[in-house]
Amino acid sequence: MILVTGGAGYIGSHTCISLIEAGFDIVVYDNFSNSSKKSLQRVESIVERNIPLVEGDIRDKEVLQDVFDKYDIDSVIHFAGLKAVGESVQKPLEYYDNNINGTIALCEVMRDNGCKKIVFSSSATVYGDPKSVPISEDFPLSATNPYGRSKLFIEEILRDIYVSDATWKIILLRYFNPVGAHKSGLIGEDPNGIPNNLMPYISQVAIGKRDYLSVFGGDYATNDGTGVRDYIHVEDLADGHVKALENIDKFDGVKAINLGTGQGYSVLEVVKAFERASEKKVPYKIVGRREGDIQSCYADPSYAKKVLDWSAKHGINDMCKDAWNWQSKNPNGYGS
Ligand code: NAD
Ligand code: UFG
């Protein structure tokens, strides 16, 4: 049985589908601080089976222990965490408590129950402002905000756990920019309030909820002056987790692996691709740079290919098409 913390969230819900389709049995653990029970109900309708769910906080060791008592947990995929960069600057203590103390509590309960395999949701944010692109796993690590620092600290904590006990198997998946939605249009990204991220913001402009997109910076040294990122379809990301679990027993030590496509797109290229996919106009205005943003960030994905035999299958057109399918079928997300 695989324990999926944060399994009701955006990436977690898509990964639940891929895990079940690959034949894994799962139990989801979530406190619904940033998700809806509807996402799991829809996952159940897609996979046509019930998924065991425990409502709880990863910092609550008693509830976690109950899960280990009730289910025979072999491995953990650990998505649960807070993820908004700007909010983390305003609420550093909440972010460190939730993300770091939560991971420590989870690992303690895992250790106490002899469960020592974990796949952790890390982020390309751990590369800080990279010296060059594409970014490979051996690049120097740094952080510029509490969210990123929590990811960096957790990576280090997991390395220390391995040093103390080499029977642990630990994979750090460093995601680039997850976008898109399940092809059914039943599950997708459902941000609270005004979206911070590009793709959900564009989707809300296309559907008419927002007037225009503010493009943060038109003076970067990129082909059209706007920031470049490695957008990756959430279904590809979900498959990366399946590959990680299928291969984890082969690995020694802590493996950090990039999950990206290796292809960078500028903000304006994404706008154009979205307009094509949705057949809607996406008005935009170029405004000043957003504080903390970097110019260009995309993966060297060759290590994931080598050790997991994984590479992204979907291009930017699929990502926009599926994001639009979800947005147009669910104009108010799970509250629709
Ligand atoms: P999400 O907010 O949709 O999902 C996270 C889930 O964890 C939510 O369902 C939330 O309710 C749950 N959760 C949070 N704190 C919890 C706690 N203390 N106990 C139990 N459940 C808790 O986010 P997501 O986009 O699916 O991201 C999943 C993971 O991937 C996160 O760790 C995030 O930091 C990481 N990540 C996300 C991105 C991205 O752009 N979406 C990029 C890189 C890394
Ligand atoms: N952008 C705009 N307008 C917007 C939103 C974004 O122009 O309204 C631009 C940004 O300036 C950037 C690009 O679109 O150039 C992507 O921005 P996102 O906010 O979607 O993503 P980021 O690359 O800034 O950050 C994301 C996650 C972080 C994670 C990081 C690396 O939000 O949590 O990817 O994985 F750390």
Side-chain angles (χ1 to χ4, degrees):
M1 195 93 164
I2 313 297
L3 173 62
V4 185
T5 75
Y10 171 47
I11 304 169
S13 56
H14 289 83
T15 303
C16 286
I17 296 175
S18 297
L19 288 169
I20 290 169
E21 286 175 349
F24 289 99
D25 286 325
I26 64 170
V27 51
V28 168
Y29 189 89
D30 205 300
N31 67 358
F32 298 100
S33 58
N34 194 40
S35 52
S36 156
K37 285 187 181 150
K38 270 196 189 168
S39 68
L40 287 177
Q41 289 161 3
R42 292 189 179 182
V43 168
E44 289 184 326
S45 75
I46 292 166
V47 298
E48 296 179 336
R49 76 167 71 163
N50 293 331
I51 297 172
L53 161 70
V54 177
E55 186 165 351
D57 194 295
I58 46 167
R59 289 164 296 185
D60 191 335
K61 289 171 65 177
E62 277 179 29
V63 184
L64 275 176
Q65 182 56 51
D66 289 345
V67 175
F68 279 84
D69 287 341
K70 185 163 177 200
Y71 300 98
D72 184 12
I73 308 290
D74 174 66
S75 321
V76 176
I77 303 191
H78 178 29
F79 294 106
L82 301 176
K83 63 164 183 176
V85 173
E87 186 184 58
S88 80
V89 177
Q90 304 307 320
K91 298 181 176 175
L93 296 174
E94 284 82 350
Y95 269 67
Y96 289 130
D97 180 40
N98 195 84
N99 293 2
I100 297 182
N101 289 340
T103 303
I104 291 172
L106 172 67
C107 290
E108 282 174 341
V109 176
M110 288 176 66
R111 177 200 58 197
D112 294 349
N113 290 276
C115 172
K116 298 183 183 176
K117 288 187 253 179
I118 184 167
V119 177
F120 171 62
S121 297
S122 190
S123 166
T125 196
V126 300
Y127 296 116
D129 193 352
K131 61 181 191 311
S132 59
V133 278
I135 300 168
S136 55
E137 287 82 355
D138 56 1
F139 270 37
L141 305 180
S142 69
T144 52
N145 57 68
Y147 166 70
R149 209 160 286 122
S150 76
K151 293 291 176 194
L152 210 49
F153 287 160
I154 294 167
E155 287 202 358
E156 294 297 325
I157 290 166
L158 292 171
R159 283 183 216 284
D160 286 339
I161 291 175
Y162 176 77
V163 170
S164 75
D165 176 354
T167 63
W168 278 78
K169 305 275 183 191
I170 298 171
I171 297 184
L172 315 171
L173 294 179
R174 295 180 178 154
Y175 314 152
F176 281 67
N177 288 53
V179 297
H182 190 260
K183 53 189 158 319
S184 63
L186 286 172
I187 60 168
E189 191 171 11
D190 183 16
N192 284 323
I194 303 172
N196 295 307
N197 297 115
L198 180 65
M199 192 65 91
Y201 203 103
I202 290 180
S203 307
Q204 294 196 3
V205 173
I207 199 114
K209 283 174 91 173
R210 315 216 171 259
D211 294 339
Y212 64 92
L213 169 75
S214 295
V215 176
F216 299 137
D219 58 351
Y220 288 109
T222 58
N223 57 358
D224 60 17
T226 66
V228 167
R229 296 290 183 276
D230 186 337
Y231 298 94
I232 170 160
H233 198 296
V234 65
E235 291 195 309
D236 281 328
L237 209 54
D239 287 342
H241 292 77
V242 171
K243 291 283 192 179
L245 270 190
E246 286 172 348
N247 286 285
I248 196 165
D249 285 323
K250 290 198 310 217
F251 297 149
D252 282 324
V254 178
K255 284 260 181 279
I257 303 174
N258 286 342
L259 293 184
T261 65
Q263 169 82 51
Y265 286 98
S266 74
V267 176
L268 294 183
E269 285 171 333
V270 177
V271 168
K272 293 288 162 257
F274 201 94
E275 287 185 333
R276 278 197 306 275
S278 64
E279 298 179 354
K280 299 276 175 196
K281 200 82 198 125
V282 178
Y284 67 85
K285 289 184 191 167
I286 296 187
V287 300
R289 293 181 179 190
R290 181 170 67 179
E291 199 184 322
D293 269 359
I294 55 177
Q295 174 166 290
S296 203
C297 174
Y298 55 91
D300 173 347
S302 55
Y303 192 60
K305 177 74 190 161
K306 183 172 160 211
V307 295
L308 299 181
D309 190 28
W310 172 92
S311 56
K313 295 186 173 60
H314 297 283
I316 192 74
N317 294 334
D318 285 351
M319 299 180 211
C320 292
K321 185 168 67 65
D322 292 334
W324 176 244
N325 185 37
W326 155 251
Q327 175 71 66
S328 49
K329 285 183 173 152
N330 308 270
N332 297 310
Y334 292 111
S336 294

